[in-house]
Amino acid sequence: VRLGLYEADVVLMAGDLTGKAMVPIVRTDDGWEAELAGRRRHARDEDDLEAIEQDVANLGFYPMRMEQADVERVAGDPEALHALFIAEIRSRLRRWLDLADERLEGTGVPVVVIPGNDDPYEIDDVLADASYCENVDGRVAEIPGGLEVIGLGVSSPTPWNTPREVPEDDFFETITRLTDQAKDPRRTVLLIHCPPYDTGLDTAPLLDDDLRLRASAGDLMRGPVGSRGVRRAIEGFRPLLGLHGHIHESGGEAKIGDTLVLNPGSEAAYGVLRGYLVDVGSSGVDRAFRVEG
């Protein structure tokens, strides 16, 4: 089955299904105006407006056509702002899922997803209603190739207190419980949003107690911020493959024992989508290489 430019048997997405912000595009006397990436953008006609909206969407944000009075109203009402954001998140995700139904139905290529730690719980019922994409968060599911996938869309604690965070001990215990349900842990794929600790897939700028970037000798300090529980589970259960996300600036691959672990990384700020193509044979992973578009 050909999916896009590549032949694929299954597509797996390791979280971060939703955008991080809304960008108001405000009506003015002579058109529309928005601020994007530190630049003031003006739209004089519908073509200009659609171009701004596309640029906003390419960054993973939500363009919002609004009147100035509406901007001021929600800016002064945190509950109304949150409700608007959740409504837009749910609406956009539902449209993406409908697009998957339209484009992939009949291809025979399943799409398996999990949420990420930043994805609000309010999307779970939207995912549950999807007719094509399958949410495997917190469970074990069969995928083509005689494999099973173990999905988990949480992360270890972060400084930002995001919706889906768990203590490291809980992380390990949950993976253990799920692995016990698998037919053969050595033929499983861990689809876990948070990468294992100190693998090079989890390197990020370090913060101080006030959430300010730490620097030394004029350069940012960086270090591992992944999950010790995930690493401990991989070392103990030795799955075939680990697929992760979470730390966007730390894409790459590593080995923990015999287990290959991958993080495609992200360049959302530049509109670049990254992924990995992985070929799995009877004896394990034959090859893996990163692609982007």
Side-chain angles (χ1 to χ4, degrees):
V1 175
R2 181 163 289 279
L3 183 68
L5 298 176
Y6 310 108
E7 292 184 355
D9 296 310
V10 60
V11 176
L12 300 104
M13 299 180 64
D16 287 337
L17 305 178
T18 63
K20 301 295 191 292
M22 297 181 292
V23 176
I25 304 175
V26 183
R27 190 192 301 274
T28 64
D29 292 338
D30 59 350
W32 300 82
E33 187 174 82
E35 185 170 335
L36 182 62
R39 292 178 52 218
R40 183 70 58 179
R41 299 279 298 273
H42 300 273
R44 305 303 182 194
D45 54 33
E46 187 67 21
D47 288 343
D48 290 346
L49 181 55
E50 290 179 358
I52 293 175
E53 290 177 328
Q54 186 62 59
D55 289 345
V56 171
N58 286 344
L59 295 177
F61 300 150
Y62 303 120
M64 304 288 292
R65 299 189 190 190
M66 304 179 72
E67 303 290 341
Q68 183 62 41
D70 294 327
V71 174
E72 294 172 358
R73 176 181 59 81
V74 296
D77 187 342
E79 290 186 3
L81 180 60
H82 177 73
L84 181 64
F85 191 29
I86 294 299
E88 188 62 23
I89 284 173
R90 287 169 55 88
S91 174
R92 175 68 65 83
L93 180 59
R94 190 173 287 111
R95 293 200 299 272
W96 276 113
L97 294 171
D98 289 343
L99 183 63
D101 291 346
E102 174 188 330
R103 299 289 180 86
L104 298 179
E105 191 70 48
T107 65
V109 181
V111 178
V112 177
V113 305
I114 56 170
N117 64 298
D118 283 319
D119 295 325
Y121 281 101
E122 286 89 345
I123 71 169
D124 286 4
D125 64 320
V126 178
L127 291 173
D129 289 340
S131 61
Y132 194 86
C133 297
E134 180 181 10
N135 179 15
V136 297
D137 184 26
R139 62 191 187 89
V140 181
E142 293 184 359
I143 57 174
L147 305 175
E148 290 180 302
V149 59
I150 294 175
L152 205 52
V154 296
S155 81
S156 49
T158 76
W160 297 279
N161 191 30
T162 55
R164 303 177 195 252
E165 297 181 11
V166 296
E168 289 290 1
D169 287 345
D170 292 353
F171 218 150
F172 176 75
E173 290 176 4
T174 300
I175 300 172
T176 299
R177 174 177 55 80
L178 292 170
T179 303
D180 287 343
Q181 300 172 27
K183 298 173 184 176
D184 179 2
R186 296 300 309 277
R187 295 289 291 175
T188 60
V189 176
L190 294 189
L191 183 65
I192 297 180
H193 182 63
C194 190
Y197 182 80
D198 198 20
T199 51
L201 309 185
D202 65 325
T203 304
L206 300 178
L207 306 177
D208 63 20
D209 292 338
D210 296 318
L211 303 185
R212 294 176 300 193
L213 293 171
R214 294 168 57 184
S216 177
D219 194 14
L220 290 179
M221 297 179 64
R222 295 174 172 81
V225 295
S227 169
R228 296 178 186 270
V230 172
R231 176 160 194 145
R232 182 181 165 199
I234 292 174
E235 290 172 339
F237 302 117
R238 301 166 63 197
L240 179 72
L241 181 66
L243 303 179
H244 311 278
H246 190 44
I247 310 301
H248 299 178
E249 64 270 38
S250 198
E253 58 188 81
K255 293 291 284 289
I256 299 178
D258 295 331
T259 301
L260 177 67
V261 289
L262 306 172
N263 178 1
S266 172
E267 291 285 351
Y270 301 99
V272 177
L273 179 66
R274 289 201 170 104
Y276 265 93
L277 293 178
V278 183
D279 286 338
V280 177
S282 58
S283 60
V285 176
D286 292 334
R287 60 176 182 164
F289 53 96
R290 192 158 67 159
V291 294
E292 65 178 45

